[in-house]
Amino acid sequence: PTLLVFLAIASCSNDEVSVTEKNAATNDVLPPIEVDTEISVNSDKRIIVKGKTNLPEGANLLLSLSNPDINFLAQDKSVVKNQVFSAGPFGPISGLSSGNYMLDVTLPVAAVQPDAVKDVIGDKGQYLTGNLVVDSEFAGNVIEANFSYTIE
């Protein structure tokens, strides 16, 4: 009888742990991911990007500025720190031509993110939510935010 009581206690203890783990996972649902940007054009007509996001601290971002009308593409990397990021300057030393530009801010696949970021977003980005989430087909979810700006 003593052995049976011990097994029953061990069994209850394991059940409690699994319920606690399930509750912890349920409570850690990420809010929809948000990305906002603003650009400034410096005196030599090159662009600096500053942005705000609720992505996790240390998330690696890729920013791409393009204008297909003039075959222009420039990229820069940034890291989220205190919910902000910045990149640039974008453009040749001679400055950007006037026109319409697309700015794409991407959170690449989880595989290239630091472990602390993967702990939050999931090893395939499966915990990311919101309308910026895109299934990258082969490597899980990524974030893609697109903005358009006109340079005069």
Side-chain angles (χ1 to χ4, degrees):
T2 306
L3 183 59
L4 290 175
V5 170
F6 176 73
L7 290 175
I9 291 172
S11 177
C12 288
S13 177
N14 286 339
D15 287 344
E16 289 174 15
V17 169
S18 65
V19 168
T20 303
E21 288 171 353
K22 287 179 188 173
N23 287 342
T26 304
N27 291 336
D28 288 333
V29 174
L30 289 176
I33 299 301
E34 298 175 1
V35 176
D36 193 23
T37 63
E38 64 179 49
I39 65 164
S40 58
V41 180
N42 60 18
S43 60
D44 60 0
K45 288 195 77 176
R46 297 171 76 200
I47 290 178
I48 303 291
V49 177
K50 293 183 181 179
K52 294 181 182 180
T53 183
N54 60 346
L55 283 164
E57 182 81 5
N60 293 315
L61 301 176
L62 177 64
L63 289 84
S64 302
L65 183 72
S66 63
N67 180 334
D69 294 338
I70 59 170
N71 282 336
F72 175 79
L73 173 66
Q75 296 182 318
D76 198 5
K77 296 178 182 177
S78 188
V79 176
V80 175
K81 184 173 182 177
N82 298 320
Q83 298 190 319
V84 298
F85 60 92
S86 62
F90 290 97
I93 294 174
S94 59
L96 290 168
S97 301
S98 298
N100 298 318
Y101 289 82
M102 286 295 303
L103 174 67
D104 300 317
V105 179
T106 305
L107 174 78
V109 295
V112 301
Q113 298 297 333
D115 288 341
V117 173
K118 283 190 264 192
D119 289 346
V120 176
I121 69 171
D123 61 351
K124 298 239 183 252
Q126 67 268 29
Y127 304 134
L128 294 169
T129 62
N131 62 359
L132 301 177
V133 177
V134 176
D135 182 356
S136 71
E137 215 170 310
F138 300 108
N141 291 333
V142 297
I143 295 294
E144 291 182 4
N146 307 304
F147 306 89
S148 60
Y149 292 101
T150 300
I151 306 297
E152 299 188 15

